[in-house]
Amino acid sequence: MSKVLLVSDIHANLVALDAVLKDASVHTDFQAVWSLGDAVGYGPRPNECLSRLAELDARSVVGNHELAAVGEISLDEFNPYARAAAEWTGGVLDEVSRLYIASLPRTEVIGDFTLVHGSPADPVWEYITDPLIAVRNLEHFDTAVCVCGHTHVPIAFGFSPENISTERSEPGSTVSIKDGRWLVNPGSVGQPRDGDPRASYAILDRDEMRVTFHRIEYNIEEVQRQMMEIGLPAMLIARLAIGQ
Ligand code: ZN
């Protein structure tokens, strides 16, 4: 289980997820998939994305959008677009998907890695957007590395006694996580927000302790067509094309 495909914030975008799975298998023979939450919400194919993760036997944690769709958390914290999508998602989730979501932990520890959606301190809501928030979180997990999602921006924060580093994760770049402690976010498969609309993911090499970031184009127009057919908010449809 040395090579792991890291995915997060798939957001019911099956076209993007399948593009990532195909591209990842070209780059590497990954043996495991770890999903960092928000596999549903915003997008048009929630049941299909969850069943794809189940087929892959992915290790997954739950995100705020899963919890909202099954009524575990209130929609008050959601903006009107996210709320409309969460209500639609809640209405179409089938029984298998609901059972799958109910089985997901908020925090998972696998060897040297802690998996969460938001942050170790607040797995559901906190966004780790800068090194200060990252450093505050170091005392909230015991492993060397935390992998997280939620911001939809690929990034790696590294900490050693002498140094804090922020790796901006250009596509194709590799970050060594051998020394010190790290928080790594593979970015969003289904709704990137760093200005690059391509699907984002990362490959973790557990033997070498390094992470490689990747981007792959997918058929955005097809997903937008699916969303229009359902009647999801126009803002959510438009943002896919600009990666914001
Ligand atoms: Zn998300």
mmCIF file with all atom_site columns, all heavy atoms in Angstrom, residues 9 11 37-38 42 64-65 117 150 152 193, ligand 1:
data_model
loop_
_atom_site.group_PDB
_atom_site.id
_atom_site.type_symbol
_atom_site.label_atom_id
_atom_site.label_alt_id
_atom_site.label_comp_id
_atom_site.label_asym_id
_atom_site.label_entity_id
_atom_site.label_seq_id
_atom_site.pdbx_PDB_ins_code
_atom_site.Cartn_x
_atom_site.Cartn_y
_atom_site.Cartn_z
_atom_site.occupancy
_atom_site.B_iso_or_equiv
_atom_site.pdbx_formal_charge
_atom_site.auth_seq_id
_atom_site.auth_comp_id
_atom_site.auth_asym_id
_atom_site.auth_atom_id
_atom_site.pdbx_PDB_model_num
ATOM   1   N  N   . ASP A 1 9   ? -13.131 16.803 -1.951 1.00 0.00 ? 9   ASP A N   1
ATOM   2   C  CA  . ASP A 1 9   ? -14.097 17.738 -2.519 1.00 0.00 ? 9   ASP A CA  1
ATOM   3   C  C   . ASP A 1 9   ? -14.460 17.382 -3.970 1.00 0.00 ? 9   ASP A C   1
ATOM   4   O  O   . ASP A 1 9   ? -14.385 18.222 -4.873 1.00 0.00 ? 9   ASP A O   1
ATOM   5   C  CB  . ASP A 1 9   ? -13.559 19.166 -2.380 1.00 0.00 ? 9   ASP A CB  1
ATOM   6   C  CG  . ASP A 1 9   ? -13.393 19.539 -0.902 1.00 0.00 ? 9   ASP A CG  1
ATOM   7   O  OD1 . ASP A 1 9   ? -14.388 19.928 -0.280 1.00 0.00 ? 9   ASP A OD1 1
ATOM   8   O  OD2 . ASP A 1 9   ? -12.280 19.366 -0.367 1.00 0.00 ? 9   ASP A OD2 1
ATOM   9   N  N   . HIS A 1 11  ? -17.440 16.653 -4.847 1.00 0.00 ? 11  HIS A N   1
ATOM   10  C  CA  . HIS A 1 11  ? -18.670 17.428 -5.031 1.00 0.00 ? 11  HIS A CA  1
ATOM   11  C  C   . HIS A 1 11  ? -19.560 16.916 -6.173 1.00 0.00 ? 11  HIS A C   1
ATOM   12  O  O   . HIS A 1 11  ? -19.995 17.684 -7.040 1.00 0.00 ? 11  HIS A O   1
ATOM   13  C  CB  . HIS A 1 11  ? -18.350 18.919 -5.178 1.00 0.00 ? 11  HIS A CB  1
ATOM   14  C  CG  . HIS A 1 11  ? -18.068 19.566 -3.842 1.00 0.00 ? 11  HIS A CG  1
ATOM   15  N  ND1 . HIS A 1 11  ? -19.013 19.635 -2.852 1.00 0.00 ? 11  HIS A ND1 1
ATOM   16  C  CD2 . HIS A 1 11  ? -16.939 20.107 -3.324 1.00 0.00 ? 11  HIS A CD2 1
ATOM   17  C  CE1 . HIS A 1 11  ? -18.481 20.213 -1.782 1.00 0.00 ? 11  HIS A CE1 1
ATOM   18  N  NE2 . HIS A 1 11  ? -17.221 20.493 -2.037 1.00 0.00 ? 11  HIS A NE2 1
ATOM   19  N  N   . GLY A 1 37  ? -13.490 13.905 2.098  1.00 0.00 ? 37  GLY A N   1
ATOM   20  C  CA  . GLY A 1 37  ? -14.796 14.480 2.380  1.00 0.00 ? 37  GLY A CA  1
ATOM   21  C  C   . GLY A 1 37  ? -15.359 15.366 1.281  1.00 0.00 ? 37  GLY A C   1
ATOM   22  O  O   . GLY A 1 37  ? -14.673 15.725 0.329  1.00 0.00 ? 37  GLY A O   1
ATOM   23  N  N   . ASP A 1 38  ? -16.647 15.701 1.423  1.00 0.00 ? 38  ASP A N   1
ATOM   24  C  CA  . ASP A 1 38  ? -17.397 16.446 0.408  1.00 0.00 ? 38  ASP A CA  1
ATOM   25  C  C   . ASP A 1 38  ? -17.365 15.745 -0.953 1.00 0.00 ? 38  ASP A C   1
ATOM   26  O  O   . ASP A 1 38  ? -17.090 16.368 -1.991 1.00 0.00 ? 38  ASP A O   1
ATOM   27  C  CB  . ASP A 1 38  ? -16.902 17.896 0.283  1.00 0.00 ? 38  ASP A CB  1
ATOM   28  C  CG  . ASP A 1 38  ? -17.459 18.798 1.370  1.00 0.00 ? 38  ASP A CG  1
ATOM   29  O  OD1 . ASP A 1 38  ? -18.125 18.285 2.292  1.00 0.00 ? 38  ASP A OD1 1
ATOM   30  O  OD2 . ASP A 1 38  ? -17.244 20.023 1.294  1.00 0.00 ? 38  ASP A OD2 1
ATOM   31  N  N   . TYR A 1 42  ? -23.185 20.448 -4.315 1.00 0.00 ? 42  TYR A N   1
ATOM   32  C  CA  . TYR A 1 42  ? -22.933 21.309 -5.485 1.00 0.00 ? 42  TYR A CA  1
ATOM   33  C  C   . TYR A 1 42  ? -23.186 20.618 -6.826 1.00 0.00 ? 42  TYR A C   1
ATOM   34  O  O   . TYR A 1 42  ? -23.772 21.200 -7.720 1.00 0.00 ? 42  TYR A O   1
ATOM   35  C  CB  . TYR A 1 42  ? -21.498 21.857 -5.515 1.00 0.00 ? 42  TYR A CB  1
ATOM   36  C  CG  . TYR A 1 42  ? -21.111 22.781 -4.402 1.00 0.00 ? 42  TYR A CG  1
ATOM   37  C  CD1 . TYR A 1 42  ? -19.917 22.612 -3.724 1.00 0.00 ? 42  TYR A CD1 1
ATOM   38  C  CD2 . TYR A 1 42  ? -21.934 23.843 -4.037 1.00 0.00 ? 42  TYR A CD2 1
ATOM   39  C  CE1 . TYR A 1 42  ? -19.536 23.469 -2.695 1.00 0.00 ? 42  TYR A CE1 1
ATOM   40  C  CE2 . TYR A 1 42  ? -21.563 24.701 -3.007 1.00 0.00 ? 42  TYR A CE2 1
ATOM   41  C  CZ  . TYR A 1 42  ? -20.360 24.509 -2.347 1.00 0.00 ? 42  TYR A CZ  1
ATOM   42  O  OH  . TYR A 1 42  ? -19.979 25.357 -1.338 1.00 0.00 ? 42  TYR A OH  1
ATOM   43  N  N   . ASN A 1 64  ? -18.601 18.471 5.461  1.00 0.00 ? 64  ASN A N   1
ATOM   44  C  CA  . ASN A 1 64  ? -19.805 19.225 5.830  1.00 0.00 ? 64  ASN A CA  1
ATOM   45  C  C   . ASN A 1 64  ? -20.943 19.020 4.843  1.00 0.00 ? 64  ASN A C   1
ATOM   46  O  O   . ASN A 1 64  ? -22.113 19.031 5.221  1.00 0.00 ? 64  ASN A O   1
ATOM   47  C  CB  . ASN A 1 64  ? -19.483 20.724 6.002  1.00 0.00 ? 64  ASN A CB  1
ATOM   48  C  CG  . ASN A 1 64  ? -18.777 21.335 4.830  1.00 0.00 ? 64  ASN A CG  1
ATOM   49  O  OD1 . ASN A 1 64  ? -17.799 20.792 4.334  1.00 0.00 ? 64  ASN A OD1 1
ATOM   50  N  ND2 . ASN A 1 64  ? -19.244 22.477 4.368  1.00 0.00 ? 64  ASN A ND2 1
ATOM   51  N  N   . HIS A 1 65  ? -20.618 18.805 3.567  1.00 0.00 ? 65  HIS A N   1
ATOM   52  C  CA  . HIS A 1 65  ? -21.699 18.626 2.591  1.00 0.00 ? 65  HIS A CA  1
ATOM   53  C  C   . HIS A 1 65  ? -22.405 17.281 2.723  1.00 0.00 ? 65  HIS A C   1
ATOM   54  O  O   . HIS A 1 65  ? -23.610 17.196 2.458  1.00 0.00 ? 65  HIS A O   1
ATOM   55  C  CB  . HIS A 1 65  ? -21.172 18.837 1.168  1.00 0.00 ? 65  HIS A CB  1
ATOM   56  C  CG  . HIS A 1 65  ? -21.060 20.288 0.819  1.00 0.00 ? 65  HIS A CG  1
ATOM   57  N  ND1 . HIS A 1 65  ? -22.012 20.967 0.101  1.00 0.00 ? 65  HIS A ND1 1
ATOM   58  C  CD2 . HIS A 1 65  ? -20.115 21.195 1.141  1.00 0.00 ? 65  HIS A CD2 1
ATOM   59  C  CE1 . HIS A 1 65  ? -21.652 22.235 -0.017 1.00 0.00 ? 65  HIS A CE1 1
ATOM   60  N  NE2 . HIS A 1 65  ? -20.500 22.397 0.599  1.00 0.00 ? 65  HIS A NE2 1
ATOM   61  N  N   . HIS A 1 117 ? -11.595 16.295 7.008  1.00 0.00 ? 117 HIS A N   1
ATOM   62  C  CA  . HIS A 1 117 ? -12.070 17.160 5.926  1.00 0.00 ? 117 HIS A CA  1
ATOM   63  C  C   . HIS A 1 117 ? -11.541 18.592 6.133  1.00 0.00 ? 117 HIS A C   1
ATOM   64  O  O   . HIS A 1 117 ? -10.763 19.091 5.327  1.00 0.00 ? 117 HIS A O   1
ATOM   65  C  CB  . HIS A 1 117 ? -13.597 17.145 5.862  1.00 0.00 ? 117 HIS A CB  1
ATOM   66  C  CG  . HIS A 1 117 ? -14.149 18.050 4.799  1.00 0.00 ? 117 HIS A CG  1
ATOM   67  N  ND1 . HIS A 1 117 ? -13.836 17.907 3.474  1.00 0.00 ? 117 HIS A ND1 1
ATOM   68  C  CD2 . HIS A 1 117 ? -14.965 19.142 4.869  1.00 0.00 ? 117 HIS A CD2 1
ATOM   69  C  CE1 . HIS A 1 117 ? -14.437 18.857 2.769  1.00 0.00 ? 117 HIS A CE1 1
ATOM   70  N  NE2 . HIS A 1 117 ? -15.125 19.621 3.587  1.00 0.00 ? 117 HIS A NE2 1
ATOM   71  N  N   . HIS A 1 150 ? -11.400 20.667 1.984  1.00 0.00 ? 150 HIS A N   1
ATOM   72  C  CA  . HIS A 1 150 ? -12.314 21.742 2.401  1.00 0.00 ? 150 HIS A CA  1
ATOM   73  C  C   . HIS A 1 150 ? -12.038 23.106 1.773  1.00 0.00 ? 150 HIS A C   1
ATOM   74  O  O   . HIS A 1 150 ? -12.974 23.824 1.450  1.00 0.00 ? 150 HIS A O   1
ATOM   75  C  CB  . HIS A 1 150 ? -12.304 21.847 3.923  1.00 0.00 ? 150 HIS A CB  1
ATOM   76  C  CG  . HIS A 1 150 ? -13.448 22.616 4.533  1.00 0.00 ? 150 HIS A CG  1
ATOM   77  N  ND1 . HIS A 1 150 ? -14.745 22.534 4.076  1.00 0.00 ? 150 HIS A ND1 1
ATOM   78  C  CD2 . HIS A 1 150 ? -13.478 23.478 5.598  1.00 0.00 ? 150 HIS A CD2 1
ATOM   79  C  CE1 . HIS A 1 150 ? -15.522 23.318 4.823  1.00 0.00 ? 150 HIS A CE1 1
ATOM   80  N  NE2 . HIS A 1 150 ? -14.776 23.892 5.738  1.00 0.00 ? 150 HIS A NE2 1
ATOM   81  N  N   . HIS A 1 152 ? -10.508 23.616 -1.128 1.00 0.00 ? 152 HIS A N   1
ATOM   82  C  CA  . HIS A 1 152 ? -10.502 23.464 -2.591 1.00 0.00 ? 152 HIS A CA  1
ATOM   83  C  C   . HIS A 1 152 ? -9.240  24.065 -3.218 1.00 0.00 ? 152 HIS A C   1
ATOM   84  O  O   . HIS A 1 152 ? -9.253  24.410 -4.404 1.00 0.00 ? 152 HIS A O   1
ATOM   85  C  CB  . HIS A 1 152 ? -11.753 24.091 -3.224 1.00 0.00 ? 152 HIS A CB  1
ATOM   86  C  CG  . HIS A 1 152 ? -13.048 23.457 -2.801 1.00 0.00 ? 152 HIS A CG  1
ATOM   87  N  ND1 . HIS A 1 152 ? -14.139 23.403 -3.639 1.00 0.00 ? 152 HIS A ND1 1
ATOM   88  C  CD2 . HIS A 1 152 ? -13.441 22.842 -1.666 1.00 0.00 ? 152 HIS A CD2 1
ATOM   89  C  CE1 . HIS A 1 152 ? -15.149 22.803 -3.016 1.00 0.00 ? 152 HIS A CE1 1
ATOM   90  N  NE2 . HIS A 1 152 ? -14.741 22.457 -1.818 1.00 0.00 ? 152 HIS A NE2 1
ATOM   91  N  N   . ARG A 1 193 ? -10.889 25.936 -6.632 1.00 0.00 ? 193 ARG A N   1
ATOM   92  C  CA  . ARG A 1 193 ? -11.121 27.362 -6.366 1.00 0.00 ? 193 ARG A CA  1
ATOM   93  C  C   . ARG A 1 193 ? -9.827  28.163 -6.356 1.00 0.00 ? 193 ARG A C   1
ATOM   94  O  O   . ARG A 1 193 ? -9.727  29.177 -5.682 1.00 0.00 ? 193 ARG A O   1
ATOM   95  C  CB  . ARG A 1 193 ? -11.819 27.540 -5.017 1.00 0.00 ? 193 ARG A CB  1
ATOM   96  C  CG  . ARG A 1 193 ? -13.240 27.032 -5.002 1.00 0.00 ? 193 ARG A CG  1
ATOM   97  C  CD  . ARG A 1 193 ? -13.893 27.254 -3.658 1.00 0.00 ? 193 ARG A CD  1
ATOM   98  N  NE  . ARG A 1 193 ? -15.137 26.505 -3.566 1.00 0.00 ? 193 ARG A NE  1
ATOM   99  C  CZ  . ARG A 1 193 ? -15.730 26.214 -2.421 1.00 0.00 ? 193 ARG A CZ  1
ATOM   100 N  NH1 . ARG A 1 193 ? -15.202 26.601 -1.287 1.00 0.00 ? 193 ARG A NH1 1
ATOM   101 N  NH2 . ARG A 1 193 ? -16.859 25.514 -2.416 1.00 0.00 ? 193 ARG A NH2 1
HETATM 102 ZN ZN  . ZN  B 2 .   ? -16.005 21.283 -0.385 1.00 0.00 ? 1   ZN  B ZN  1
#
